[in-house]
Amino acid sequence: MDFPFSSLRRWPDVEADNLQAYDATDLLLVDRALASGVSGREVAVIGDEYGAITLALTHAGLNGVRVHQDLATGRRALARNAGELGIEGFSSHELDAMLLDGARLVLLQLPKALAELEEIADAVARWAAPDVVLVAGGRVKHMTITQNEVLARSFTQVQAERAERKSRLVVASGRRPVSPEPPFPVTAQHDGLVLVAHGGAFAGARLDIGTRFLREVLGLDGSQLRRTGAEAAESAPTQPVAARISGVMESERSSPAPLVVDLGCGTGALAASYALAHPEARVIATDRSAAAAASARATMAANGVADRVAVMHDDAASELADASADLVLLNPPFHLGSSVHTGAATRLFEAAARILRPGGELVTVFNSSLGYRGELTRLIGPTEQVGRTSKFTVTRSIRR
């Protein structure tokens, strides 16, 4: 009986007519696994976005398949799709030895970031069976020769196959000896802030320019904005913006422990910066990426604030109570995987609206070309611009 790929859903991730829960790469990887003769207990799947690979293999009788998904949305979609189809017999893991021990075939949906691919390839070479074969696949338009070069750091043989249905498989075998210490996480210093990053964390250990600008606007970098000429002309007024966020300041005066949420925290730069500047605050950092959450935990430890910042691997703050937050800080993504789609930001705006108390504040940074201000006003409440450059805008929204 053929597997019903078309019945799979992306929920709780964004769903739309032009977004589906499987692609041709999933089909190629499933076909390769079924033809391999490897048992289910010897198969590990990495990057199975919504469970298409894992469920199709289990449905075909390969019991014991192990799977790692970075995103909380993917993990929940897999669980939901499995429940809807009545499929059992697989197990979910982090990117660790339990996932890969004894694996002879690893199926990988190629990640977008080369650093993430490097961390995965090293993990396979480090923990899988000596004769492991890594079969990585992706859409041809997103694949590069550099990906092959990254795989070649961990494997002696890397061979790209002919494209089919606009997807291609790359087969890596002959694992190389690994260094005593894994290549990730990595650490970098930024003006008194330490960032720690696993390969799958956005921007790595760098401080991305959107987050950098938001820290400046909030006065969390220890300096005031320093811009001249055209930059100064298009910026916010010269009064310190942190002082203009009156609701945040008022909440700190009236409450002994205001709750601040770094929504979509990445490596935790905003959460760590806020905790360092405001030791009286309770801070929660949350991200749907497991790599980001692990990075954020390490960042908090590196900055000495692990006891004051709780890090959660969660989808759009779903585990936080309604009307519980005084302040939400947000640097939203504008991609869903490899596709440009504003739905990811909208889900986070809706999450902020749910968790903010009446009168609470959302401070967000986004590309100046994106018209989010009207949407923020509609979903959150009155919204004003508090900082702007030619590339980025920072707004403050008051929860109705």
Side-chain angles (χ1 to χ4, degrees):
M1 179 179 177
D2 291 338
F3 181 73
F5 286 99
S6 61
S7 69
L8 300 177
R9 286 187 57 187
R10 296 165 54 96
W11 184 94
D13 205 350
V14 176
E15 296 189 303
D17 291 341
N18 63 331
L19 299 172
Q20 61 182 20
Y22 72 98
D23 64 15
T25 305
D26 293 325
L27 306 183
L28 291 179
L29 289 169
V30 168
D31 289 344
R32 176 58 59 92
L34 293 178
S36 70
V38 175
S39 71
R41 296 187 183 279
E42 298 173 307
V43 176
V45 181
I46 301 175
D48 191 1
E49 288 190 303
Y50 305 102
I53 303 169
T54 302
L55 295 178
L57 294 181
T58 306
H59 179 267
L62 272 69
N63 290 316
V65 171
R66 289 166 282 176
V67 57
H68 168 68
Q69 298 162 288
D70 180 61
L71 300 184
T73 45
R75 298 181 186 194
R76 294 179 183 181
L78 168 60
R80 182 192 182 281
N81 286 325
E84 288 291 316
L85 295 171
I87 295 177
E88 300 177 341
F90 62 90
S91 59
S92 296
H93 300 268
E94 299 302 331
L95 182 64
D96 57 18
M98 291 186 64
L99 170 74
L100 293 162
D101 183 37
R104 297 180 57 227
L105 177 64
V106 177
L107 306 176
L108 169 65
Q109 269 274 9
L110 281 166
K112 183 178 179 181
L114 293 175
E116 184 175 3
L117 178 59
E118 181 181 0
E119 185 169 21
I120 291 169
D122 175 83
V124 174
R126 186 174 300 275
W127 292 315
D131 62 346
V132 65
V133 175
L134 170 62
V135 182
R139 302 297 280 170
V140 171
K141 63 182 178 179
H142 300 308
M143 298 177 74
T144 67
I145 294 297
T146 308
Q147 291 173 325
N148 295 12
E149 296 170 353
V150 170
L151 290 172
R153 297 173 195 166
S154 296
F155 296 91
T156 60
Q157 300 176 30
V158 178
Q159 181 63 50
E161 299 189 345
R162 186 172 61 183
E164 297 182 48
R165 291 171 281 182
K166 299 182 180 180
S167 290
R168 187 192 305 276
L169 299 182
V170 178
V171 180
S173 59
R175 67 179 196 177
R176 296 184 186 275
V178 297
S179 62
E181 292 296 325
F184 294 90
V186 296
T187 301
Q189 296 270 352
H190 301 276
D191 298 326
L193 178 70
V194 182
L195 290 184
V196 184
H198 285 271
F202 172 71
R206 302 185 307 276
L207 191 61
D208 74 273
I209 54 178
T211 296
R212 187 185 300 275
F213 183 49
L214 183 51
R215 288 177 74 236
E216 290 178 349
V217 169
L218 290 172
L220 298 180
D221 64 341
S223 66
Q224 300 298 329
L225 294 176
R226 298 186 183 93
R227 286 188 292 275
T228 59
E231 283 286 293
E234 63 180 357
S235 299
T238 56
Q239 181 186 6
V241 175
R244 298 172 61 231
I245 303 179
S246 57
V248 177
M249 300 300 106
E250 180 61 30
S251 70
E252 290 182 2
R253 287 195 297 269
S254 61
S255 170
L259 178 61
V260 179
V261 177
D262 181 358
L263 183 58
C265 65
T267 56
L270 292 173
S273 298
Y274 199 93
L276 288 168
H278 301 276
E280 75 286 356
R282 294 174 296 145
V283 182
I284 293 175
T286 177
D287 201 293
R288 69 173 186 157
S289 163
S295 301
R297 291 188 189 99
T299 291
M300 302 313 148
N303 289 279
V305 295
D307 60 333
R308 295 192 285 113
V309 181
V311 179
M312 304 173 65
H313 180 214
D314 186 21
D315 171 38
S318 67
E319 296 181 15
L320 297 184
D322 294 359
S324 60
D326 297 285
L327 170 65
V328 173
L329 307 177
L330 174 60
N331 179 5
F334 56 93
H335 283 85
L336 285 173
S338 299
S339 302
V340 176
H341 199 290
T342 58
T346 298
R347 290 189 77 240
L348 294 179
F349 296 158
E350 291 171 343
R354 182 183 64 78
I355 66 174
L356 277 169
R357 62 168 176 77
E361 304 184 13
L362 168 66
V363 181
T364 187
V365 61
F366 50 87
N367 291 68
S368 294
S369 60
L370 298 174
Y372 284 153
R373 188 168 174 178
E375 186 172 19
L376 288 164
T377 299
R378 177 175 61 84
L379 293 174
I380 309 293
T383 298
E384 64 171 333
Q385 176 181 298
V386 293
R388 183 180 176 88
T389 70
S390 58
K391 293 184 178 180
F392 289 97
T393 295
V394 174
T395 58
R396 168 200 180 219
S397 305
I398 309 298
R399 184 70 171 98
R400 294 187 184 87

